[in-house]
Amino acid sequence: MHAQLLIYISIIATSGVLNLYLFAYVFRKRHLYKSISTYFLAYVFAIIIYCFGSVFSLMSTDIIELKFWTAIMYLGLPFASPLGLMFISKYLAIKLKRIHIIYMLAIPTISSLLVATNDWHHLYYRRFEIDPSLGAPYFFQEIGIWYLVQGILTFGTMLAAFILLISHYKEMSKQYRSQIIALMFGQLMPMVTAFFYLLGLTPKGIDPVPMVIWVSSLVYLWAIHSSRLFKLMPVAKDVIFNSIDDAVLVLDESFRLVEINRACKVQFPSFNHSLLGMNIEKVWSELFNIPFIVKIGVTEVALKLNEEKVYQVRLSMLDPLRNINGYLIIFTDITEIKRLQTLLERQAYYDELTQIYNRRAFLQRCETGLARSQKKGTSFIIMIMDVDHFKKVNDIYGHHIGDQLLEHIVAICQLYLNKGEVFARYGGEEFVFSLSNYTKAEAEELANTIRNHVEKTPMVSPEGEISITLSLGIAEAERGVGETVSSLLNKADKALYQAKGTGRNKVSIYLKGNIGM
């Protein structure tokens, strides 16, 4: 064995030993590095097999030994670069689909089998023999079709890993950049050496790639010790940005749209990339057909797309203190929240049967209306309405007919109510009105109009026509005596009692010290 060959073997053995140490070091601390250590260990293990297989192939004395150790070497060589890409993807938090992983590992598996059985088919090497001029262990080869397939995969995955690292370099914080540089160098060294080998610029009959791997190993060791590779892991911006459920628009300092996330495309299908670079006012108009009214902070906006949705839109500045100028618009879909709020409000403030206000809503609005009228010095009237002999209807026809009758009466009442007047179901067959700016005479006229309409309009039901009458009591708030809703209701109830006690189907007005009809 001459001195030059011994140097080659020593360098490659050094690469193998360094990777073996690297494997043992990471394996011992794999519980600290979580799932990424699995990818890195697989990557380094493939390199170890590659390096030591290359060492023993350089110690071969005949073609049988050379082919055997080449087959051993190919248990690691084809897998190294795909596993390297998987490791880099994991480091950058880029999720590879399972089918892509299967494809990347399927070709190396086939390559290993084809090299081991090459004498039967010559698909990997058309010729593989001892170099006639240099002798063992130098080899002479003519490549086969599968050698090209494996070569494309090897260079493609190494180049992809390198490009991924470059593309993420600028967006990484400074604390991660030394790691990125180390990983870029670790991918670049074997890739460039392999390229020179294919161009015939390296020693004849020897694979030079294992000779430079020791440099990559030292770089990885430095990154693990000095820049806390694995312990301090970056989370890729793209993963965070595109995993957010809320739609996000990124604007520059001139309010031009520069970037959107994946959720934006999903929620706003009409968005297209021609809008990038446009001012947000024009983008907003194109997408939603309304002016841009969002200010710094949180705005609630209803947007009509395929269906109307309500969004909470947050506009905020990026980070001018760190010289990151621009703006962020985040859309949070609160349509369902608003729907539930509306539903809860209806359940809390509306009568389930008649869909008019319930007792709680009436009392709240009466408090507000009474306070306003007392402040302005205007009139305020409460009117209570009761359905005469309603219990008989339920007893004779059943409660379902009774419910229909209440709905029938409500529909008639709503024909005569103006905006701002409050009408509610007070309980059972009893209803209440609050009337602002009405005189007692006007309130009495409204009450009689409703009463007469109901009396002359029987409800048509499967049981036949059902006639019904109403009794009503009216009370006006006194001024300057501390009138309350409760006291006013009490007065109206007394007037109602008077109407029912004098024959029903009447309107009675509460007068101080007297009740008039």
Side-chain angles (χ1 to χ4, degrees):
M1 183 179 297
H2 54 77
Q4 188 179 26
L5 185 59
L6 187 58
I7 291 172
Y8 294 159
I9 292 173
S10 299
I11 294 173
I12 297 174
T14 301
S15 293
V17 171
L18 277 172
N19 277 279
L20 193 59
Y21 171 77
L22 188 60
F23 181 90
Y25 181 85
V26 175
F27 183 82
R28 187 166 56 89
K29 297 189 176 185
R30 66 191 182 281
H31 62 286
L32 300 175
Y33 303 148
K34 299 183 179 179
S35 59
I36 192 171
S37 64
T38 303
Y39 290 86
F40 186 74
L41 288 172
Y43 170 53
V44 174
F45 186 70
I47 292 174
I48 291 170
I49 296 174
Y50 178 25
C51 289
F52 284 112
S54 183
V55 166
F56 285 105
S57 70
L58 289 177
M59 297 172 65
S60 302
T61 57
D62 57 43
I63 189 62
I64 295 175
E65 288 185 16
L66 186 59
K67 287 181 178 180
F68 174 78
W69 289 113
T70 298
I72 295 298
M73 183 172 65
Y74 264 81
L75 294 176
L77 186 158
F79 294 93
S81 54
L83 290 170
L85 176 58
M86 293 180 204
F87 158 63
I88 296 298
S89 299
K90 183 68 176 178
Y91 173 81
L92 296 173
I94 298 171
K95 188 174 182 180
L96 289 174
K97 293 183 179 179
R98 182 176 296 180
I99 190 67
H100 295 154
I101 294 174
I102 292 172
Y103 284 154
M104 285 193 289
L105 295 182
I107 292 176
T109 302
I110 295 170
S111 297
S112 298
L113 293 172
L114 291 181
V115 170
T117 59
N118 190 70
D119 286 345
W120 298 346
H121 46 70
H122 300 286
L123 289 174
Y124 202 87
Y125 297 113
R126 292 173 60 192
R127 288 177 62 189
F128 186 83
E129 55 194 38
I130 300 294
D131 189 281
S133 58
L134 296 175
Y138 299 97
F139 57 85
F140 172 78
Q141 64 183 27
E142 287 184 7
I143 62 175
I145 186 65
W146 197 259
Y147 188 101
L148 293 174
V149 174
Q150 178 59 50
I152 291 170
L153 175 72
T154 299
F155 274 98
T157 50
M158 285 195 292
L159 184 61
F162 186 72
I163 291 173
L164 282 175
L165 291 167
I166 290 177
S167 65
H168 284 76
Y169 178 79
K170 285 186 178 180
E171 66 189 39
M172 290 293 181
S173 302
K174 289 182 180 179
Q175 60 184 332
Y176 302 121
R177 289 187 177 179
S178 58
Q179 296 180 7
I180 294 284
I181 292 172
L183 294 174
M184 284 167 57
F185 191 81
Q187 293 294 314
L188 186 63
M189 281 293 293
M191 183 170 61
V192 171
T193 306
F195 183 70
F196 286 158
Y197 171 55
L198 290 178
L199 292 178
L201 302 177
T202 58
K204 186 180 179 182
I206 290 179
D207 181 2
V209 175
M211 296 183 197
V212 301
I213 286 179
W214 66 273
V215 181
S216 298
S217 305
L218 286 177
V219 171
Y220 289 143
L221 282 169
W222 172 84
I224 290 171
H225 285 287
S226 300
S227 63
R228 294 184 291 170
L229 183 67
F230 302 153
K231 285 186 180 179
L232 189 62
M233 292 281 295
V235 179
K237 178 217 67 173
D238 284 347
V239 174
I240 297 176
F241 190 54
N242 287 310
S243 64
I244 297 173
D245 291 333
D246 294 337
V248 180
L249 305 181
V250 183
L251 313 178
D252 65 12
E253 60 270 25
S254 300
F255 279 89
R256 291 188 298 259
L257 180 64
V258 294
E259 195 169 359
I260 65 167
N261 69 342
R262 189 177 294 119
C264 186
K265 298 176 185 176
V266 173
Q267 294 192 36
F268 309 132
S270 59
F271 184 92
N272 62 77
H273 282 82
S274 65
L275 299 176
L276 292 174
M278 292 170 54
N279 186 275
I280 186 59
E281 292 186 358
K282 190 170 183 181
V283 171
W284 199 274
S285 177
E286 289 274 345
L287 288 177
F288 311 126
N289 257 342
I290 58 174
F292 181 69
I293 57 170
V294 180
K295 305 295 182 185
I296 294 290
V298 179
T299 308
E300 196 171 288
V301 181
L303 301 176
K304 286 187 178 180
L305 303 166
N306 294 333
E307 55 180 324
E308 182 166 313
K309 289 193 172 185
V310 181
Y311 288 89
Q312 184 186 80
V313 182
R314 182 183 298 275
L315 173 63
S316 59
M317 299 179 70
L318 288 176
D319 195 348
L321 295 178
R322 296 175 59 192
N323 202 30
I324 305 174
N325 296 316
Y327 300 87
L328 210 60
I329 298 179
I330 301 176
F331 296 80
T332 303
D333 187 347
I334 58 171
T335 308
E336 184 63 16
I337 295 173
K338 282 292 180 183
R339 188 190 69 79
L340 291 174
Q341 284 178 346
T342 303
L343 179 62
L344 289 172
E345 183 179 344
R346 289 205 68 83
Q347 291 175 344
Y349 294 106
Y350 287 82
D351 177 59
E352 187 176 356
L353 173 65
T354 60
Q355 298 302 305
I356 60 175
Y357 285 132
N358 60 16
R359 182 188 185 117
R360 175 191 294 177
F362 178 79
L363 292 175
Q364 285 186 3
R365 279 156 179 76
C366 266
E367 292 285 355
T368 303
L370 179 60
R372 187 187 302 116
S373 70
Q374 288 177 335
K375 184 177 180 180
K376 293 182 177 180
T378 56
S379 66
F380 186 82
I381 289 175
I382 283 181
M383 185 165 69
I384 298 181
M385 178 179 77
D386 186 79
V387 182
D388 296 331
H389 302 297
F390 182 72
K391 186 176 181 299
K392 288 184 179 180
V393 175
N394 283 334
D395 291 342
I396 296 171
Y397 301 104
H399 286 277
H400 67 289
I401 296 295
D403 288 345
Q404 291 176 25
L405 184 61
L406 293 178
E407 291 176 313
H408 171 71
I409 293 169
V410 166
I412 292 173
C413 291
Q414 287 175 326
L415 295 174
Y416 299 100
L417 295 177
N418 299 316
K419 184 178 179 182
E421 295 164 356
V422 181
F423 175 43
R425 185 180 180 188
Y426 201 61
E429 71 274 19
E430 205 167 59
F431 297 85
V432 284
F433 303 77
S434 74
L435 309 173
S436 298
N437 299 316
Y438 271 66
T439 64
K440 281 186 283 191
E442 289 171 336
E444 184 178 14
E445 182 182 354
L446 173 64
N448 277 313
T449 300
I450 292 172
R451 182 183 61 79
N452 288 328
H453 192 146
V454 170
E455 182 182 16
K456 295 174 182 178
T457 314
M459 185 188 80
V460 178
S461 76
E463 306 295 331
E465 290 189 352
I466 301 174
S467 298
I468 201 75
T469 60
L470 303 175
S471 297
L472 298 98
I474 297 171
E476 182 181 19
E478 292 185 58
R479 300 176 192 177
V481 295
E483 188 81 83
T484 65
V485 171
S486 178
S487 64
L488 195 55
L489 280 167
N490 185 50
K491 292 174 182 178
D493 193 55
K494 288 180 179 178
L496 173 66
Y497 182 79
Q498 175 73 17
K500 294 174 76 68
T502 55
R504 292 184 169 85
N505 193 21
K506 293 179 180 179
V507 176
S508 178
I509 301 174
Y510 179 86
L511 299 173
K512 190 173 182 180
N514 186 26
I515 296 175
M517 291 190 301

